[in-house]
Amino acid sequence: AVLAIFAGILALVLPRFMDFRVTYLRTDAGRVATLVRYLSESSDTRRLYYRLAFDLDSKTLTVARSVDGKKFISEPEPALKGIRLRGGVKFVDIVVPGIGKVTSGEVAIFFSPAGSKEAFILHMGSGDDVKTLTFNPYSGRVKVEDGYI
């Protein structure tokens, strides 16, 4: 009887425990999308240049800024310093026009106050689940979709 109760509880709890990977992927994709939107808008309103560096191997994003677009310094605001992806979430690849698909190493995206921004498609994954983030430089919108698109 005790084993049956334990098995029943385990059957209810285990699927939710395994779902943390999906939750981390969804929240990390949302965090990246929010950061990209903010940098796109902030480059225009604050008249600053931003460099967003995706390190696909170390699963991190770092932000640097510049007044002239030549000398970049690390972003001093703690909330904008960057993002480290959480347990099991990784960058699958990033596609940038003029560069193509990159699966390892570092890729930098630049945001300019003159409205010059680079389009990109970022694929993030955890296990078999994948999210696609698409940045439209003309509208400043970031679309997050399920699957590899």
Side-chain angles (χ1 to χ4, degrees), residues 12-148:
L12 291 173
V13 173
L14 192 58
R16 289 189 183 146
F17 178 73
M18 298 300 278
D19 201 40
F20 278 119
R21 291 181 320 176
V22 175
T23 302
Y24 285 158
L25 176 60
R26 185 177 59 247
T27 56
D28 279 353
R31 289 169 56 211
V32 172
T34 300
L35 180 61
V36 169
R37 265 190 302 271
Y38 177 82
L39 295 177
S40 176
E41 292 172 9
S42 186
S43 66
D44 293 334
T45 58
R46 296 175 72 191
R47 309 302 294 163
L48 292 171
Y49 294 83
Y50 287 99
R51 180 182 65 214
L52 179 61
F54 294 86
D55 188 328
L56 281 71
D57 300 323
S58 70
K59 305 182 334 179
T60 58
L61 287 171
T62 53
V63 178
R65 71 179 183 180
S66 170
V67 235
D68 60 4
K70 295 176 184 165
K71 183 179 179 189
F72 285 85
I73 59 166
S74 287
E75 175 58 52
E77 293 183 40
L80 299 178
K81 284 191 180 281
I83 295 173
R84 176 176 292 283
L85 300 182
R86 292 181 287 174
V89 179
K90 65 179 182 177
F91 296 122
V92 175
D93 60 48
I94 185 167
V95 181
V96 182
I99 296 175
K101 183 190 287 191
V102 180
T103 58
S104 65
E106 189 172 297
V107 175
I109 301 294
F110 292 89
F111 300 88
S112 158
S116 173
K117 298 168 177 77
E118 299 174 86
F120 67 88
I121 299 170
L122 175 68
H123 297 105
M124 299 172 63
S126 179
D128 293 335
D129 296 308
V130 176
K131 295 274 187 196
T132 299
L133 282 79
T134 307
F135 174 65
N136 181 332
Y138 304 109
S139 66
R141 294 185 63 202
V142 181
K143 187 190 288 187
V144 180
E145 299 175 276
D146 291 326
Y148 191 99

